[in-house]
Amino acid sequence: MDLLVPSSGLLFWMTITFFVVLFILWKWGFPAITDMVRERNAFIDDSLRKAQEANDKLANIQQEGESILQEARSEQARILKDAADTRDAIVGKAQDKAKKEGARIIGEAKVEAENERQNAISDIRAQVAVLSVQIAEKVLREKLSTDKAQMDLIDRLLDEVSVNNK
């Protein structure tokens, strides 16, 4: 039974050794362990706080990025609308200018055509007059080739003039 129940001397020395070890641990071991646990706890708390701040900053950055992206989209839409309006205005001005220029060219062409027509009519009249004179000259030469024919023509013309003057 000696194995199950220790002797009183052994129990005494074991108790003294236990209290000495307990005192040494209490004096120097536990404060070091407690300090390390506190430092580790402070480090973990600081890391958690920094992680939370980083998450908050990331959320803010994401919100700012989304708002900047939305602003960029609205600015792009505004620029595209302005460009379309400008394009439409330029096209409208160009069409108006082309219409005015076309009307001016058509007007000038009409005036020029009228002038050409008048010139052609004048030329035709002049040519007709020249031809008429030439034809009349040839006819009169043939009819008035004799003195008697000339005298008959003069008498007839005088008679017509006298009848018209009455």
Side-chain angles (χ1 to χ4, degrees):
M1 208 45 193
D2 234 7
L3 290 173
L4 292 178
V5 177
S7 67
S8 59
L10 180 63
L11 192 58
F12 172 76
W13 288 113
M14 282 177 63
T15 305
I16 289 180
T17 307
F18 173 76
F19 283 116
V20 169
V21 169
L22 182 67
F23 176 75
I24 292 173
L25 284 175
W26 197 271
K27 184 76 177 169
W28 292 284
F30 289 138
I33 293 172
T34 319
D35 288 342
M36 286 193 323
V37 168
R38 266 192 237 121
E39 287 175 12
R40 181 71 180 157
N41 192 17
F43 177 75
I44 290 172
D45 288 343
D46 188 46
S47 296
L48 288 174
R49 183 184 50 79
K50 287 180 181 178
Q52 183 62 35
E53 288 175 2
N55 282 339
D56 293 342
K57 285 181 182 179
L58 183 60
N60 287 339
I61 289 172
Q62 286 176 341
Q63 285 178 337
E64 288 176 10
E66 288 175 8
S67 66
I68 289 171
L69 186 60
Q70 185 62 31
E71 279 182 34
R73 285 183 181 148
S74 64
E75 183 69 16
Q76 178 188 20
R78 185 191 62 78
I79 288 171
L80 288 175
K81 183 184 175 293
D82 289 347
D85 292 344
T86 303
R87 181 200 63 217
D88 292 343
I90 289 171
V91 167
K93 286 179 183 177
Q95 287 175 344
D96 289 343
K97 187 176 179 181
K99 285 179 185 177
K100 288 178 184 177
E101 186 67 19
R104 183 187 64 80
I105 290 172
I106 289 172
E108 288 176 0
K110 285 181 181 179
V111 168
E112 188 175 328
E114 182 62 27
N115 289 340
E116 290 293 324
R117 188 177 73 81
Q118 292 298 330
N119 288 340
I121 290 173
S122 296
D123 286 346
I124 290 172
R125 284 188 180 161
Q127 289 176 1
V128 167
V130 168
L131 287 175
S132 297
V133 169
Q134 288 175 351
I135 290 172
E137 183 181 333
K138 287 183 182 181
V139 169
L140 284 178
R141 269 193 205 147
E142 268 187 43
K143 284 189 175 184
L144 300 177
S145 59
T146 64
D147 287 331
K148 181 177 184 314
Q150 290 177 3
M151 287 308 283
D152 286 341
L153 178 64
I154 290 172
D155 287 339
R156 193 180 69 208
L157 288 175
L158 285 174
D159 287 342
E160 286 178 14
V161 169
S162 65
V163 171
N164 285 339
N165 285 337
K166 290 185 186 179

